[in-house]
Amino acid sequence: MNAFDSLLGNLLLITSLWMVGITAISTKLTLYSVQTLAVGSLATLVGVAHHEPALVFAGVGVFVFKGIAAPLYLAHLTQAVGCRKDIGSFIASPLLLLLSAAAVGGLFLFHPFQQSVPPAALPSIGVILAGMILMVSRRLAISQIIGFLVLENGMFFFTVTIPHSLPLLVELGVLLDIMAGTMIAGVLTFQISDSFEHIDILRLGNPRK
Amino acid sequence: MNIPQTLRMVALCTLPFIALIAALKIPVAGLPKAVARLLWLQFVCSIMVCLPVLQQNGTSLHPWPGVVVDPTAALFIMLTTLVTAAITEHTVGYFGREMHAMTPPNPRVVREFYLCTIVVLLCIYGIAIADNLGYLWIAVEASTLASAPLVYSSRSGASLEAAWKYLIICSVGIAFAFFGTALLFAASQHAIIPDGTLSVVGLTRVAPHLPPALLRFGFVFLLLGYGTKAGMFPLQFWQPDAYSQSPAPGGAVLAGALGNGAMLALLRVTGIMLAAGQGQFVRVTLLPMGVLTTCIAALFLVKQKNTGRMLAYSSMENVGLMATAISLGSVGAFCLQAICHSLAKTALFLLSGDASQIYRTSLLDRMRGLIIISPSRALLLLAGIAAVAGTPPFGSFLSEWQILAACVNHNEPVAAGMLLAGITCAFIALAIHICGIAYGDTPPGKTELTDGFSHNWRGVVAPAILLFVVLWLGTLLPGIVIGAFARLTP
């Protein structure tokens, strides 16, 4: 793993943890977009440097669809359903940020999967963890979609750091599935907003009509 | 490229695409009959393509790189086609009656149902024939996305909640499976393939050279991912809601067709682990999950009040048995269990859908005396429960017996004991619930079927065909069935 990969891995991790600590949806979307554009660029650069066309295509696909199109779609969704903040549930966001940072710090310090996982995969696991925390700690449907996309970014970053990229068809298929999943989740969010007049997942069960 | 094999594959996949176009273009009134006919034709086509592969001296098809139709794939292709054909056949009457109900469904929902069902069928084909863990993952995720609208068919608040839960939990689970896939790909780069491979056959061949620690780590993620999709304990939370909120034919698609997809993916992955000599690790991880899934589901079955949820927990119980068979490397028992469960569960969903239409409720305690109102449906419902619970002479008895024998042979008496307790408990609970529907006093004013039922034979024939196949598998000489299934490989 070279220094550039490492730097981007840490950037990814920091933006993911930052998202755990904030409540504003628009800021969260901006951070998600920044980290996705970064990981897409990294994949493209690594693909060009290692002569791996599959990674180049995947990187460009992630940059365009996940880094630009998905955040724009989600921003439109946020505006349409009229939600600005997600205060989360159970634990206040700043405290959750500290706990998450401690968990990720522990992951790097003790490296519990030392026998199984190369050090290059640690930032990916950290991002996956942050994505999971984002999903379970937030109440709004849109936050859960963002958490899922962050989690998926961590997995894509792992595929970039391994010596050879996944086959092109697999990379494109995965991208297509993720984008289709985001679209369907978005449509369901619209429906939830329409039926319940809110998109709070914990308060589903009492529809308006 | 092998031209004859490619042509056979093209023949296999053409009709579902024609059905897909039909589902988009044909007016809703004629859609159920048209799709049902096309899928029955597809079933004949699948037999012609897949049966030669299943024969004793048959060879697997390798039409394109990354695609293999081996005997296991051939079996699941035929099974899923039969199940979807029977479901669409049944919907001719089901949707016909729904259209004349007080609140008829939106024609768009009916069209959506057929579109999703055909896409799910194609996804299961994809899962069965994928010789690449990446393609496998794509097909499993695509099947989740395609089936989410089935859960949301009734457009109610509860169905919306169930669809959201289904989509998010399964997508996160399958994302874990992607991480596991990437870990296995990374592991293959440590072996004798420097560029790495995702081919199931390739990975199985080099399995002894794969780094065990990375392999195990990858398997755990794959197990979490596909286990979530399969509805294994403790990752099953989406399943009861999704099954109970779908309309009966939608539940049948989820349980009968889609349910096998994730288990088949798990079978392929476990094959690589077993080839790598990680059988003990598989047994430590997958076996307890399988046994607990069966036992917990059996306990939940006791207190159910809704037919959809009852059938969901019954599916979970069967998934536990299938997982146990996979963990012990008993591929034949897994396949037989999966086939019998799919057929019987589909029949049960279709029949329970009819019962819900008769009584206008899906609550178990409000359905009584079906044997007076519709004796054929009541008898088939009783036969269906016997089949799904593994009662002789149905084929599921053979598979459950084999799974219990495999536990004993692998020196797992605790697992065998727990499974036996779980199966018994599930049988008693199901028998009580279904006997409650079949017998007892009919609700006031409900002594005979309405016109929609009395002139329609389709609602009985489709489940009857499915249950007959389960019975046929059990009443053939057990040696033939067990011998044929013993030849199957992961």
Side-chain angles (χ1 to χ4, degrees), chain A residues 113 115-117 132 135 141 144 148 151 155 158 162-166 169-170 173-174 177 180-181 184-185 188-189 191-192 195-196 201 204, chain B residues 132 134-135 137-138 141-142 145 148 152 157 160-161 163-164 167-168 171-172 175-176 178-179 182-183 185-186 189 194-195 198 213-214 217:
Chain A
F113 317 115
Q115 297 292 315
S116 323
V117 181
M132 289 280 304
M135 287 193 79
Q144 296 199 345
F148 173 67
L151 184 144
M155 293 177 186
F158 176 72
I162 55 179
H164 293 280
S165 64
L166 290 167
L169 269 178
V170 175
V174 171
D177 271 350
I184 293 174
L188 281 181
T189 307
Q191 299 284 354
I192 292 172
S195 296
F196 295 89
I201 298 303
L204 293 184
Chain B
N132 181 304
Y135 300 163
W137 185 90
I138 292 167
E141 172 68 4
L145 299 179
Y152 181 48
L160 192 54
E161 184 183 6
W164 180 262
L167 186 70
I168 290 295
S171 293
V172 172
F176 279 139
F178 177 66
F179 191 54
L183 284 166
F185 183 64
Q189 295 179 12
D195 288 345
L198 281 173
L214 201 52
F217 200 56

Side-chain angles (χ1 to χ4, degrees), chain B residues 135-183:
Chain B
Y135 300 163
L136 187 71
W137 185 90
I138 292 167
V140 175
E141 172 68 4
S143 70
T144 306
L145 299 179
S147 52
L150 292 176
V151 181
Y152 181 48
S153 288
S154 71
R155 300 290 192 263
S156 66
S159 72
L160 192 54
E161 184 183 6
W164 180 262
K165 215 188 263 187
Y166 172 60
L167 186 70
I168 290 295
I169 295 178
C170 285
S171 293
V172 172
I174 298 167
F176 279 139
F178 177 66
F179 191 54
T181 303
L183 284 166

Side-chain angles (χ1 to χ4, degrees), chain A residues 2 4-5 41-53 55-56 163:
Chain A
N2 63 39
F4 188 59
D5 290 7
S41 311
L42 173 73
T44 312
L45 290 175
V46 171
V48 170
H50 293 182
H51 306 291
E52 301 231 23
L55 204 52
V56 176

Side-chain angles (χ1 to χ4, degrees), chain A residues 7 19 24 36 50 55 57 62 68 79 82 84 111 125 128 132 138 149 164 183 201:
Chain A
L7 184 72
M19 277 190 243
T36 311
H50 293 182
L55 204 52
F57 278 111
V62 166
I68 298 172
Q79 213 165 23
R84 286 160 190 260
H111 196 171
I125 296 175
I128 292 168
M132 289 280 304
R138 293 294 186 263
L149 289 170
H164 293 280
M183 291 292 292
I201 298 303

Side-chain angles (χ1 to χ4, degrees), chain B residues 343-359:
Chain B
L343 298 171
K345 191 52 62 64
T346 303
L348 279 175
F349 262 106
L350 300 181
L351 291 163
S352 72
D354 284 4
S356 295
Q357 282 185 327
I358 292 168
Y359 294 102

Side-chain angles (χ1 to χ4, degrees), chain A residues 25-26 29 73-84 142 146:
Chain A
I25 303 277
S26 57
L29 273 175
Y73 172 64
L74 292 176
H76 164 69
L77 185 66
T78 311
Q79 213 165 23
V81 300
C83 62
R84 286 160 190 260
I142 202 152
I146 297 172

Side-chain angles (χ1 to χ4, degrees), chain B residues 336 339-340 343 395 398 468-476 481 485:
Chain B
L336 188 55
I339 290 170
C340 294
L343 298 171
L398 283 182
F468 175 75
V469 178
V470 188
L471 187 68
W472 177 68
L473 283 170
T475 47
L476 273 179
V481 176
F485 280 84

Side-chain angles (χ1 to χ4, degrees), chain B residues 228-246:
Chain B
T228 306
K229 183 76 208 298
M232 285 174 70
F233 177 79
L235 311 157
Q236 83 288 2
F237 297 106
W238 62 268
Q239 201 176 32
D241 288 345
Y243 281 30
S244 59
Q245 288 305 322
S246 314

